[in-house]
Amino acid sequence: MGVYISGSQFSVLIDGLHTKYGDDYLFPTKSLISKITTQLRPDAILFTHYHGDHYSSALTEKYLKTNHKSVLFGPEQVTKKISELKNNICTIRTKDYIKQNFNLGNIQITGLKINHAGKRHLSVENVGYILNIDNKKILHVGDTDWLEEFNLFPQLKLSDEVIDIAILPYWMLLHDNASDLIQRYINPDHIIATHISPKIGEQELLDLKKKYPKIHFLTKLEKEIRL
């Protein structure tokens, strides 16, 4: 489920340090973990929530031991499990939907609560991120859904942020009114779909491409998208 975002002077990895969780989820290989740790070396590692297809505390601690200047972001359910380099940890509060801003060199990272999808995951602290990097705003929402019963997206006021790129879980695009909801509440120039199971057929993705001409799909490890 990981997404690596690289700018001219700064790079970020979101939900990219985890192990195998099930057949419906891709996961980074040992060689890719080594590449992340020794070559890519993101300046910040961000986690949306603690589920095993997004986060491994063991891999995160190992990364921080090797890359002492990197900063970890996540909700308390993530950060409380890390004992290394406490001064390099930023915890995103999830008691309300207030945006929390952090400046790291040439990048601004904004974290905010965005509820996890599914009634069985009500206790999961899921957070979203808005990255302002190289004058582009990139939104990552973690494992959320439209959650109209919570009136979620009207509360988040994401349309005020002028989002250039929205990274959304695949299932958010399947809602009957998804096109209208995306335009009304996010209004990005581009959409990147993630959390796509290897079992989903190519024709299904082609059908979605017709509905969303500016969409990009993350379906393979190390797939590169330039925007």
Side-chain angles (χ1 to χ4, degrees):
M1 298 304 110
V3 180
Y4 175 73
I5 300 169
S6 179
S8 58
Q9 301 181 51
F10 203 92
S11 63
V12 169
L13 180 67
I14 305 177
D15 288 352
L17 294 173
H18 63 87
T19 55
K20 185 174 181 179
Y21 191 68
D23 293 336
D24 280 329
Y25 308 93
L26 295 176
F27 62 97
T29 60
K30 289 183 178 180
S31 61
L32 181 52
I33 293 292
S34 177
K35 181 179 179 179
I36 290 169
T37 304
T38 62
Q39 297 180 41
L40 298 179
R41 300 176 65 190
D43 300 285
I45 50 174
L46 284 54
F47 295 96
T48 61
H49 61 294
Y50 73 93
H51 282 163
D53 54 330
H54 296 258
Y55 167 70
S56 162
S57 59
L59 290 178
T60 300
E61 291 234 28
K62 186 175 181 180
Y63 180 83
L64 292 175
K65 287 178 181 178
T66 304
N67 296 278
H68 299 286
K69 294 183 180 180
S70 185
V71 182
L72 167 68
F73 289 80
E76 187 179 10
Q77 288 175 344
V78 166
T79 60
K80 70 180 182 182
K81 297 183 179 182
I82 302 299
S83 60
E84 290 293 319
L85 301 172
K86 287 295 185 182
N87 291 334
N88 290 37
I89 294 177
C90 296
T91 299
I92 308 301
R93 303 184 306 274
T94 56
K95 291 183 179 180
D96 50 46
Y97 298 106
I98 294 176
K99 297 181 178 74
Q100 299 146 64
N101 299 316
F102 305 86
N103 290 307
L104 293 177
N106 296 316
I107 183 176
Q108 183 182 71
I109 298 176
T110 299
L112 71 161
K113 172 183 176 179
I114 303 182
N115 302 68
H116 197 290
K119 292 182 178 179
R120 66 191 180 97
H121 296 309
L122 290 175
S123 63
V124 175
E125 296 173 353
N126 183 79
V127 302
Y129 295 98
I130 302 168
L131 311 178
N132 193 338
I133 182 168
D134 288 354
N135 294 316
K136 286 187 178 180
K137 279 195 175 182
I138 304 169
L139 169 71
H140 192 297
V141 298
D143 275 8
T144 194
D145 209 337
W146 294 110
L147 299 177
E148 293 172 287
E149 65 273 25
F150 292 166
N151 200 33
L152 176 60
F153 276 82
Q155 296 186 75
L156 299 177
K157 302 185 187 309
L158 295 173
S159 60
D160 296 342
E161 298 290 336
V162 191
I163 300 297
D164 295 292
I165 303 166
I167 302 171
L168 307 176
Y170 168 79
W171 58 76
M172 289 184 71
L173 306 171
L174 304 181
H175 191 287
D176 289 341
N177 297 322
S179 294
D180 292 337
L181 293 170
I182 290 170
Q183 184 175 10
R184 187 187 316 162
Y185 296 123
I186 304 174
N187 196 27
D189 291 330
H190 298 276
I191 300 169
I192 297 175
T194 186
H195 227 308
I196 301 172
S197 168
K199 298 178 182 179
I200 292 175
E202 183 177 354
Q203 186 58 51
E204 190 172 349
L205 298 181
L206 289 174
D207 290 342
L208 270 179
K209 184 70 174 178
K210 293 177 183 177
K211 188 176 181 182
Y212 307 98
K214 293 185 177 181
I215 199 169
H216 307 268
F217 299 106
L218 286 180
T219 54
K220 298 178 181 179
L221 293 177
E222 298 191 71
K223 181 175 181 177
E224 186 174 337
I225 299 170
R226 291 182 177 270
L227 295 174

